[in-house]
Amino acid sequence: GENVEQHPSTLSVQEGDSAVIKCTYSDSASNYFPWYKQELGKGPQLIIDIRSNVGEKKDQRIAVTLNKTAKHFSLHITETQPEDSAVYFCAASTAGGSYIPTFGRGTSLIVHP
Amino acid sequence: NAGVTQTPKFRVLKTGQSMTLLCAQDMNHEYMYWYRQDPGMGLRLIHYSVGEGTTAKGEVPDGYNVSRLKKQNFLLGLESAAPSQTSVYFCASKQRGNSYEQYFGPGTRLTVT
């Protein structure tokens, strides 16, 4: 089955800095890669996703890049703000059929004012 | 539109007791999922359902049972709780088709003493 590794487990940055979270996956058949943000005491919420036919996708201050050859994808947050502090999860899956994503273990991002 | 709701929010059980966690969604989604979240372990899939009347095992199904008698509800049961089942439980739902976003509930924090 799919295995997703996520690094780092904790990331501490100063407000205004950039933050990068990296994930690797094992199953070359995976073609859909979402990122979820979990604020304290809440359930995860999708913030951005990318499909395997695209190398990069941006949405304001967040972007995701995908390298299918190396089987890794990354989340980039620019100009970080204190409200970006949360746990971020990556996931990998095969789009279609019984959609069963495999999640990484999460990264706790702390943005210091 | 309440989205995904979970009942109860908190619960303390003694070893050997039973309980049922209720997940309800009002988005007419076909797919529903139960995850557990433990520190440093990410989200692990317990059971899932691809439609009313269907259920399937996920990564960590032992000690849990589920039922999907109505499309909008997905119940997770613990017949004989164990301390190893102390966790935060999240329910999620997804619509059928090419949209792969999972919508998560707020979670249930369960402690088994």
Side-chain angles (χ1 to χ4, degrees):
Chain A
E2 177 65 274
N3 182 49
V4 176
E5 299 284 342
Q6 182 173 347
H7 298 281
S9 57
T10 305
L11 180 58
S12 183
V13 301
Q14 289 296 127
E15 182 176 0
D17 288 349
S18 295
V20 180
I21 303 170
K22 299 181 179 181
C23 290
T24 60
Y25 62 99
S26 61
D27 189 350
S28 57
S30 290
N31 56 9
Y32 176 70
F33 308 92
W35 285 89
Y36 285 82
K37 176 183 181 181
Q38 184 181 25
E39 296 177 346
L40 193 62
K42 297 184 178 180
Q45 186 172 9
L46 181 72
I47 55 171
I48 196 167
D49 57 12
I50 192 167
R51 302 200 185 199
S52 60
N53 58 346
V54 175
E56 183 176 4
K57 184 177 179 180
K58 289 184 179 179
D59 183 2
Q60 298 183 338
R61 294 186 299 108
I62 62 173
V64 57
T65 58
L66 170 65
N67 183 327
K68 284 212 72 179
T69 302
K71 295 201 194 77
H72 68 71
F73 57 111
S74 300
L75 177 71
H76 304 254
I77 306 174
T78 59
E79 300 173 18
T80 54
Q81 300 168 3
E83 51 265 39
D84 294 329
S85 296
V87 177
Y88 292 81
F89 292 98
C90 63
S93 70
T94 303
S98 296
Y99 175 70
I100 308 296
T102 300
F103 285 87
R105 296 193 174 195
T107 296
S108 177
L109 174 64
I110 304 165
V111 181
H112 299 281
Chain B
N1 192 336
V4 180
T5 58
Q6 293 183 231
T7 309
K9 288 184 169 51
F10 304 94
R11 185 73 187 269
V12 178
L13 286 180
K14 294 185 177 180
T15 298
Q17 288 185 320
S18 64
M19 78 164 294
T20 300
L21 282 68
L22 171 64
C23 176
Q25 52 93 5
D26 61 1
M27 297 173 283
N28 201 35
H29 286 173
E30 292 289 339
Y31 291 33
M32 296 187 75
Y33 309 78
W34 275 109
Y35 292 92
R36 58 177 291 171
Q37 183 177 28
D38 302 294
M41 297 298 292
L43 294 163
R44 292 185 292 169
L45 183 64
I46 304 171
H47 287 278
Y48 66 98
S49 168
V50 299
E52 181 179 318
T54 73
T55 63
K57 294 180 180 180
E59 178 187 357
V60 289
D62 293 344
Y64 305 94
N65 56 75
V66 288
S67 64
R68 183 98 183 268
L69 299 179
K70 293 183 179 181
K71 186 177 183 178
Q72 64 268 35
N73 295 338
F74 195 28
L75 278 63
L76 178 70
L78 287 74
E79 290 187 347
S80 179
S84 61
Q85 294 177 305
T86 293
S87 188
V88 180
Y89 292 86
F90 288 99
C91 175
S93 70
K94 185 190 90 67
Q95 66 183 27
R96 186 185 297 279
N98 289 333
S99 174
Y100 299 103
E101 179 175 1
Q102 288 177 297
Y103 293 80
F104 285 84
T108 294
R109 182 174 293 277
L110 175 66
T111 301
V112 183
T113 62

